[in-house]
Amino acid sequence: MFVRRLLTASAAFAALTLAAEAAQAQNYQVSFDNAVHHEARITVTYRDVGSTPVRFQMSRSSPGRYAIHEFAKNVYSVSAVDGQGRPLTIDRTDPYGWTVPGHDGTVSLSYTLFGDRSDGTYSQIDATHAHLNMPATLAWATGFDERPVTVTFKPFSPDWSIATQLKPGSDPNTFSAPDLQYLMDSPTELSNHMVREWTVDDAGVARTIRIAAHHAGTAEEIDIFAERAKRVVDAQIAVFGDVPDFDFGTYTFIADYLPWVSGDGMEHRNSTIINNSRSFREADFGQIGTLSHEFFHAWNVERIRPAELEPFDFTRANPTPSLWFAEGFTSYYGPLTIRRAGVATVDAFLAEMGGQLNFVQNASGRRFGSPQEMSLRAPFVDAAASIDPTNDAIFVSYYPYGAVIAFGLDLTLRQRFPGVTLDDLMRHMWRAHGVPENPYTPADLQAALAEVTGDPAFAADVFDRQIRGSDLPDFAPLLAQAGIVIRPANPTAAWAGNVRFPATGPAIIPGALAPGTPLYEAGLDLGDQIVAVGDAAITGAADWTAAVAAAKPGDEVPIRFLQRGVERSATLRFATHPSFTLARIEAGGGSVTPAQLAFREAWLGADTAPPGP
């Protein structure tokens, strides 16, 4: 995801590619003879490495992920030979790599890789496809990162073709990269997939957009999906007023929509992984949401890059305080550009953003940290696994947190600065940091807002209160400009906290309770079993639902519960349900003014019916 652009001209890149193919400075051979058992056999060869020991290792992190991932755990049957094919000794002193102490200047390391998870982080190998995330797949030798690379694949099946952002060679199974950074940022799919492609105009230069979809559906279904994707792509180009200069002129959506893959999206410089376990029909083409989010990253993150993530370090976690912008603002523009493209209705957009606002505004985690703080917690939460439990109530994901900041800022700019919108801020960041690929700092973001508005005091206030602090704007008057109202979802319903008990079994609290909620204030915690509420025995989810339904906000009732083997009693005071919805004023029988409708259409576009199947 975050790769340093070392080459700015395709001719320079082509020269490096020719050097790679000629010298084979780093050459990978990847075969899948045992694909049915999820194995690949990989050989990497380095030449002209001198006489010192060569250290090979697997990555411990992956572009687009912020936590540690121990990819070496899936590597075994490791061996090495020199330039004459003679076996070499391998020293293993740590779990992350292998050292070859003696050689003749050429070292070939071979190993078997096990992979059976198809998402944006790992690799999956089976008889249907090889879905490869490179940090999870390819070992590399330290100290040779700048050398060009070639990769030759040996497909398991003759009907497999290859989708990747790597540069094609004269051999259809051989590809190249200018260096390790680009190689590791280049996911690859080998399968019998369907391809749809079209071009977009970049100031007279045609850029190709390609969808390579490995799915069990029909050609008609991918045609429908591609048509919606075209509209979203155009809407995002309109935000920035420019198309990224994709290397080799092509951007590829690598899609796997199959029951045995894991849902995910992961952006890369000239491609993205978009996975879903449901088919197009099963998801009602809802995969367009992930596509929209990931393509927006082609500008915001891939080229408008946080300085802390440049270059990417594959040996450690890569934190940045700016994920609220990199991921959060993208989470706002994802649904916004779907709406502007006419692929979703205004009501669908309001439901999406209302859900995010609902979550963030009612999240107890905001009292524990700002968007910047939540961004820095990414290495602990971004698909990171740990044995010890954590307090989920202290974290608010930077995805919705940043999306809500973007949502409020867009409306605030439109209110306070006539003719200025959040699009202007994104275009400024594109021109100042994306086009020249000049990584930004948090201070750069504040300076950009000051320049776009012409009001440094406003920018400082926003960053002090909402970015370094945890305030949110007052959304009611901001939304009123567009004739949109905030309505309580359940104004008369009693509420004890966001807790759902399993359909069967006793009422045991399944997750951390948020501070300030009625159950938390009554002293209950994760793992406690509710025994009775008032005079009603609680034997399961149905009894709990009935007890809550019988109460009113403000009611106080005794509650009995088992807490680590001890029965305890407390008073439970029900609250009003805090959830709300966003709705067009006319949907509730009110009247929208011409000014409100004009504001809404300038922001979201005219409300037309989305394209049918």
Side-chain angles (χ1 to χ4, degrees):
M1 179 170 84
F2 310 103
V3 294
R4 185 174 188 175
R5 190 172 190 188
L6 301 175
L7 301 162
T8 57
S10 59
F13 199 105
L16 281 177
T17 299
L18 290 173
E21 292 175 341
Q24 294 186 323
Q26 299 179 70
N27 176 255
Y28 290 86
Q29 303 284 331
V30 186
S31 61
F32 307 97
D33 294 343
N34 200 25
V36 295
H37 294 298
H38 317 296
E39 287 185 343
R41 187 65 181 171
I42 300 167
T43 297
V44 56
T45 299
Y46 286 80
R47 295 181 172 83
D48 300 321
V49 295
S51 58
T52 58
V54 179
R55 158 78 176 183
F56 293 88
Q57 67 183 64
M58 291 295 289
S59 299
R60 300 188 68 205
S61 59
S62 181
R65 290 263 80 103
Y66 307 104
I68 289 292
H69 297 273
E70 303 292 10
F71 299 122
K73 68 182 182 296
N74 284 326
V75 171
Y76 45 92
S77 299
V78 181
S79 62
V81 298
D82 67 11
Q84 304 302 314
R86 295 171 298 210
L88 297 174
T89 299
I90 297 176
D91 292 340
R92 189 89 189 274
T93 58
D94 64 75
Y96 313 115
W98 306 261
T99 298
V100 180
H103 50 80
D104 63 358
T106 295
V107 180
S108 293
L109 186 84
S110 297
Y111 59 93
T112 297
L113 174 80
F114 176 87
D116 194 22
R117 181 176 173 88
S118 175
D119 62 7
T121 308
Y122 298 99
S123 295
Q124 183 172 71
I125 303 157
D126 58 39
T128 69
H129 73 161
H131 169 101
L132 307 177
N133 181 43
M134 293 311 183
T137 304
L138 300 182
W140 42 279
T142 59
F144 305 101
D145 296 9
E146 304 302 321
R147 289 191 177 189
V149 186
T150 61
V151 185
T152 299
F153 300 99
K154 180 185 175 184
F156 172 76
S157 172
D159 66 3
W160 282 11
S161 55
I162 302 172
T164 182
Q165 69 175 33
L166 294 167
K167 186 181 186 302
S170 55
D171 177 348
N173 293 330
T174 297
F175 300 81
S176 60
D179 52 35
L180 182 74
Q181 286 278 322
Y182 194 93
L183 173 69
M184 290 297 175
D185 191 53
S186 302
T188 300
E189 168 78 14
L190 295 89
S191 61
N192 183 14
H193 51 259
M194 298 182 186
V195 176
R196 297 293 183 272
E197 63 180 40
W198 65 98
T199 60
V200 294
D201 179 68
D202 182 17
V205 177
R207 312 286 185 194
T208 298
I209 309 295
R210 177 171 57 197
I211 299 176
H214 181 207
H215 72 123
T218 65
E220 178 190 14
E221 289 169 355
I222 191 174
D223 288 340
I224 293 170
F225 187 66
E227 183 57 38
R228 297 185 184 189
K230 289 179 188 178
R231 297 167 69 166
V232 171
V233 165
D234 288 345
Q236 295 193 0
I237 292 172
V239 171
F240 292 97
D242 190 18
V243 182
D245 294 343
F246 300 124
D247 299 311
F248 325 123
T250 301
Y251 183 94
T252 304
F253 294 101
I254 301 173
D256 279 299
Y257 299 140
L258 299 160
W260 53 88
V261 308
S262 300
D264 199 5
M266 186 58 64
E267 70 280 6
H268 297 273
R269 181 171 176 81
N270 304 296
S271 65
T272 187
I273 291 293
I274 44 177
N275 271 22
N276 199 296
S277 59
R278 297 183 296 169
S279 69
F280 286 123
R281 290 290 180 181
E282 289 170 331
D284 193 22
F285 299 93
Q287 295 94 339
I288 198 70
T290 307
L291 180 144
S292 182
H293 179 101
E294 302 306 333
F295 189 63
F296 199 81
H297 275 315
W299 293 269
N300 189 29
V301 169
E302 290 303 333
R303 290 161 176 86
I304 307 173
R305 296 192 300 277
E308 300 83 5
L309 301 173
E310 182 59 32
F312 196 84
D313 188 339
F314 298 100
T315 67
R316 62 172 179 84
N318 288 251
T320 172
S322 299
L323 291 182
W324 61 270
F325 181 80
E327 294 289 0
F329 274 44
T330 300
S331 293
Y332 170 65
Y333 272 101
L336 178 62
T337 52
I338 291 175
R339 166 55 237 139
R340 288 178 178 174
V343 175
T345 63
V346 167
D347 287 343
F349 171 76
L350 293 179
E352 169 70 24
M353 292 310 303
Q356 297 201 56
L357 178 58
N358 217 326
F359 171 76
V360 173
Q361 189 157 300
N362 291 314
S364 63
R366 278 202 304 127
R367 71 178 70 181
F368 297 100
S370 66
Q372 284 192 345
E373 166 64 20
M374 297 306 164
S375 296
L376 288 172
R377 294 190 67 83
F380 308 137
V381 299
D382 185 40
S386 58
I387 295 174
D388 62 315
T390 58
N391 187 353
D392 296 334
I394 69 168
F395 178 70
V396 184
S397 171
Y398 38 83
Y399 285 88
Y401 209 160
V404 166
I405 296 296
F407 187 26
L409 183 58
D410 197 1
L411 293 171
T412 300
L413 292 174
R414 292 169 185 270
Q415 180 186 65
R416 291 189 52 170
F417 303 95
V420 178
T421 75
L422 196 65
D423 292 1
D424 294 299
L425 177 64
M426 301 309 296
R427 290 189 195 107
H428 177 91
M429 289 298 296
W430 174 243
R431 291 191 298 268
H433 296 277
V435 174
E437 303 214 31
N438 175 31
Y440 67 84
T441 66
D444 292 326
L445 290 170
Q446 181 174 327
L449 182 58
E451 185 164 341
V452 166
T453 60
D455 192 338
F458 168 78
D461 182 63
V462 168
F463 272 73
D464 285 341
R465 291 190 301 105
Q466 298 181 28
I467 308 305
R468 292 181 285 269
S470 54
D471 289 352
L472 294 179
D474 183 356
F475 274 90
L478 293 175
L479 289 164
Q481 302 173 95
I484 296 167
V485 294
I486 301 176
R487 292 180 176 146
N490 299 287
T492 62
W495 180 73
N498 293 326
V499 56
R500 290 185 178 181
F501 297 109
T504 59
I508 296 174
I509 295 174
L513 296 171
T517 59
L519 283 170
Y520 182 97
E521 296 302 318
L524 283 81
D525 198 31
L526 168 66
D528 293 353
Q529 178 183 339
I530 299 177
V531 176
V533 174
D535 295 328
I538 305 298
T539 61
D543 294 336
W544 169 254
T545 300
V548 174
K552 299 187 298 294
D555 284 356
E556 294 185 356
V557 297
I559 184 171
R560 290 189 293 117
F561 56 97
L562 287 173
Q563 188 174 77
R564 300 197 171 186
V566 178
E567 183 169 310
R568 302 185 185 277
S569 298
T571 298
L572 177 66
R573 188 178 192 278
F574 288 101
T576 301
H577 204 291
S579 65
F580 53 83
T581 61
L582 306 183
R584 293 174 294 115
I585 192 170
E586 63 269 32
S591 298
V592 61
T593 68
Q596 288 172 323
L597 188 58
F599 182 100
R600 186 192 301 170
E601 292 190 354
W603 171 36
L604 302 178
D607 196 8
T608 56

